[in-house]
Amino acid sequence: MEKSVDDIMATIGCLVAVNCLKKTRVKKRERSVWVKEWLSKRSQYSHVNLINELRICPNDWQNYLRMDEDTYVKLLSLVTPFIKKNDTVMRRAISPHERLTATLRFLATGRSYADLKFSTIISPQALSCIIPETCNAVYRVLNQDYLKVKKK
């Protein structure tokens, strides 16, 4: 079977085009670090340590979380089943206590996720999932008893 010059030229053109496409593809940058070093030290630097110290002075606790400790503990016990995550082989899960306090600080201060990451030692990407999820859980558990809407 004999190929014409046009067929050969078309084949060569396709090979050149494929070769050019391979060269122009942008190579995906390899991650140099999976997690920033300071984010991996959450247990050491997190706001949870501050909250433990604030238990000594109830007024400071109230000012920090905008609720007293008893109310906080009750709310935590109600939302824990909805916001608790399991540890994995890769990393330890963010505890319900950390999730709820980060959410309450966000609601109390209106700070951005990028700013909140420094006091919570939780990445902004994780905060963007945690805060809406925790707000939904709070709404879910308080809806019937505290968030009644009167029907007309």
Side-chain angles (χ1 to χ4, degrees), residues 49-95:
N49 296 329
L50 172 63
I51 291 171
N52 291 334
E53 293 296 320
L54 292 178
R55 285 191 164 126
I56 297 166
C57 186
N59 289 338
D60 290 339
W61 175 287
Q62 174 84 29
N63 190 31
Y64 190 74
L65 290 176
R66 305 297 198 263
M67 65 178 62
D68 62 37
E69 187 177 357
D70 293 335
T71 305
Y72 174 81
V73 170
K74 182 178 178 183
L75 181 60
L76 180 62
S77 68
L78 291 171
V79 298
T80 293
F82 299 103
I83 63 173
K84 184 173 177 25
K85 303 296 180 190
N86 296 324
D87 293 343
T88 66
V89 176
M90 300 288 284
R91 67 186 60 86
R92 219 180 86 242
I94 299 169
S95 71

Side-chain angles (χ1 to χ4, degrees), residues 10 22 36-37 42 44 50-51 54-55 57 65 73 82 96 101 113 116 119 123 133 135 139-141 145 149 151:
K22 284 181 182 178
K36 291 180 180 177
E37 185 66 28
R42 184 180 315 122
Q44 185 177 357
L50 172 63
I51 291 171
L54 292 178
R55 285 191 164 126
C57 186
L65 290 176
V73 170
F82 299 103
T101 54
Y113 296 156
L116 201 58
S119 62
S123 72
E133 183 180 280
C135 286
Y139 176 79
R140 196 173 182 180
V141 299
D145 297 329
V149 178
K151 295 181 182 179

